[in-house]
Amino acid sequence: MPKKIFLIAAARPNFMKVAPLWRAMAARPDGLQPLLIHTGQHYDHNMSDVFFEDLGLPVPHVHLGVGGGSHAQQTAGVMVKFEELCLQERPDMVVVVGDVNATMATSITAAKLHIPVAHVEAGLRSRDMTMPEEVNRLLTDAIADLLFTPSRDADDNLLAEGVAPGRIKLVGNIMIDSLVGSVEKARRLDTCARFGLTAGRFGVMTLHRPANVDDPDTLARILDVLVGMDIPLVFPVHPRTRAVMSQHDLGAKCGLTGSLIILADPMGYYEFMNLVVHAQLIITDSGGLQEEATWLGIPCLTLRPNTERPVTISEGTNELATVASLAEQTAIILAGNWKKGRVPDLWDGRTAPRIVEEIEQFLTKR
Ligand code: UD1
């Protein structure tokens, strides 16, 4: 009998991480039976369904339909429904990815039912407890049986927290598996041209961290700087950010109309990656985009005081930025004087098969 594996999908960044795992598991039908569980944290077509279509993911086995809400509402809602599902279906393992609320909620639920948990993208630490993701990362790593890490710094973090070395497996970056498999197709789309942009002569920006977008004054200060930049910036606006912008009329207040900023709706994976691969620079507060920029060798400014992905700075093309430093850093990039960076070890597009092999070994030994 193949082992039943629940793969937890929930929010936009997770779909790119779950897709290569699903494929690698589905390729071993004698050993593993992967079942996608969508918690519903992201639910708009262009925040969820479009990624299933782009990434060739099947319709989820179960959709918990929990939706948005406060942290407690999301977490509790997922735990109650996921517990019922686990009791009904008794999976042999629950595999969670990343650091969103559903990652933590499903891990805790499974651990209390004595179902083994594997965490993919374990060990990342920003040491910033004001980030909800840092709380999710710490709690998930504390109880997961298998901790799949993307880089050596993540191993060091876990070891420093007293995690037994046997639980830690350095496997590389799962999101890069999706990128490797998609980059050529994405490169050939015409998204860039549809926005009237010339390859290599525009930037991509994304902003959605609560610390940057929830306070309208903070968001306005960021937009004021970006409006003053001398390069077109495509800005697919996250629903969280759009809500604050429209509620406080920041488009008009910050002079976005008539500026070089091009506002857009959130996009599918291929469309967005077409913009990213052709961009001259990236300005973001996303986690995944720092990694994608590093792999692609595109200069990246991360508008945050810290990053849980330090390898993108020490080895890649990423640097932290503040509102005060953005303009000067952008000028260095546009002058062609940015660091070149290199691709970190094991970010090679083969992380999913390494994980699947470890999972099979783990389940065989039990
Ligand atoms: C979540 C993750 C964050 C990740 C981000 C990527 C947590 C704590 N945060 O943040 O780590 O980087 O996803 O997008 O898990 N909304 C919609 N439609 C949707 C999804 C969300 O309108 O499809 C709106 C809702 O009003 C929701 C708000 O956006 O309340 C925020 O969504 P939520 O999932 O709570 O947090 P994100 O900011 O998306």
Side-chain angles (χ1 to χ4, degrees):
M1 273 286 278
K3 303 285 187 191
K4 191 189 279 189
I5 311 290
F6 277 3
L7 259 177
I8 309 300
R12 187 168 61 176
N14 282 13
F15 306 136
M16 289 77 94
K17 300 169 192 175
V18 156
L21 289 170
W22 187 84
R23 270 195 301 278
M25 287 182 189
R28 311 261 192 128
D30 295 339
L32 302 174
Q33 181 196 11
L35 296 169
L36 270 184
I37 312 298
H38 196 326
T39 65
Q41 181 169 343
H42 285 175
Y43 44 86
D44 289 345
H45 176 82
N46 56 3
M47 296 289 287
S48 175
D49 297 358
V50 68
F51 291 92
F52 277 71
E53 291 157 16
D54 278 1
L55 296 163
L57 281 167
V59 173
H61 174 61
V62 172
H63 198 300
L64 300 180
V66 175
S70 71
H71 286 276
Q73 284 166 337
Q74 285 186 26
T75 307
V78 168
M79 288 179 81
V80 170
K81 291 201 168 176
F82 189 61
E83 183 179 56
E84 282 169 20
L85 180 68
C86 286
L87 289 171
Q88 269 165 27
E89 298 217 12
R90 279 279 157 196
D92 294 289
M93 174 172 258
V94 171
V95 176
V96 297
V97 300
D99 54 19
V100 302
N101 286 338
T103 305
M104 178 263 289
T106 51
S107 299
I108 293 178
T109 307
K112 289 199 169 181
L113 294 173
H114 308 149
I115 299 165
V117 175
H119 183 204
V120 180
E121 207 182 82
L124 298 184
R125 298 288 181 268
S126 66
R127 317 214 183 282
D128 177 353
M129 291 298 282
T130 67
M131 286 181 77
E133 293 84 357
E134 185 72 356
V135 178
N136 294 341
R137 290 189 278 260
L138 281 161
L139 293 174
T140 304
D141 286 345
I143 53 175
D145 299 83
L146 284 175
L147 296 165
F148 292 116
T149 57
S151 47
R152 219 162 280 286
D153 56 284
D155 292 37
D156 295 342
N157 290 335
L158 293 169
L159 291 169
E161 287 168 17
V163 172
R167 284 167 60 204
I168 305 171
K169 314 283 176 193
L170 176 61
V171 290
N173 190 319
I174 191 68
M175 181 115 102
I176 300 299
D177 282 26
S178 275
L179 183 56
V180 168
S182 315
V183 69
E184 283 319 313
K185 180 173 172 187
R187 207 183 288 281
R188 289 195 298 272
L189 295 192
D190 65 350
T191 322
C192 233
R194 277 197 285 115
F195 281 99
L197 297 162
T198 309
R201 295 191 184 277
F202 67 92
V204 171
M205 61 180 268
T206 74
L207 290 173
H208 75 282
R209 293 281 161 206
N212 281 337
V213 307
D214 282 3
D215 172 33
D217 294 334
T218 304
L219 181 55
R221 273 195 295 277
I222 296 171
L223 293 175
D224 281 342
V225 176
L226 295 167
V227 159
M229 297 223 170
D230 204 14
I231 178 168
L233 291 172
V234 198
F235 180 20
V237 189
H238 187 284
R240 174 188 283 276
T241 314
R242 188 172 290 278
V244 178
M245 283 175 68
S246 56
Q247 208 179 339
H248 298 274
D249 201 16
L250 294 188
K253 278 190 194 144
C254 301
L256 258 56
T257 319
S259 77
L260 290 177
I261 295 184
I262 302 166
L263 298 178
D265 287 330
M267 292 173 201
Y269 184 58
Y270 285 112
E271 270 196 302
F272 184 63
M273 289 323 297
N274 175 271
L275 293 174
V276 170
V277 298
H278 292 303
Q280 188 173 8
L281 87 153
I282 288 162
I283 298 174
T284 190
D285 57 10
S286 145
L289 206 38
Q290 300 170 51
E291 299 174 332
E292 287 158 343
T294 278
W295 192 84
L296 292 162
I298 296 171
C300 181
L301 298 175
T302 295
L303 203 51
R304 285 176 44 190
N306 49 57
T307 177
E308 61 288 333
R309 293 160 162 91
V311 73
T312 61
I313 296 178
S314 59
E315 296 185 31
T317 52
N318 186 31
E319 285 294 334
L320 299 179
T322 63
V323 169
S325 72
L326 257 184
E328 197 183 322
Q329 288 168 304
T330 303
I332 297 172
I333 292 171
L334 297 186
N337 295 328
W338 200 249
K339 60 183 176 180
K340 297 289 174 255
R342 70 176 197 90
V343 175
D345 288 345
L346 298 175
W347 292 25
D348 58 0
R350 295 199 296 275
T351 291
R354 285 193 281 270
I355 289 174
V356 167
E357 208 170 308
E358 291 286 354
I359 287 177
E360 282 186 334
Q361 275 181 29
F362 176 90
L363 292 174
T364 308
K365 277 189 215 144
R366 275 171 66 85

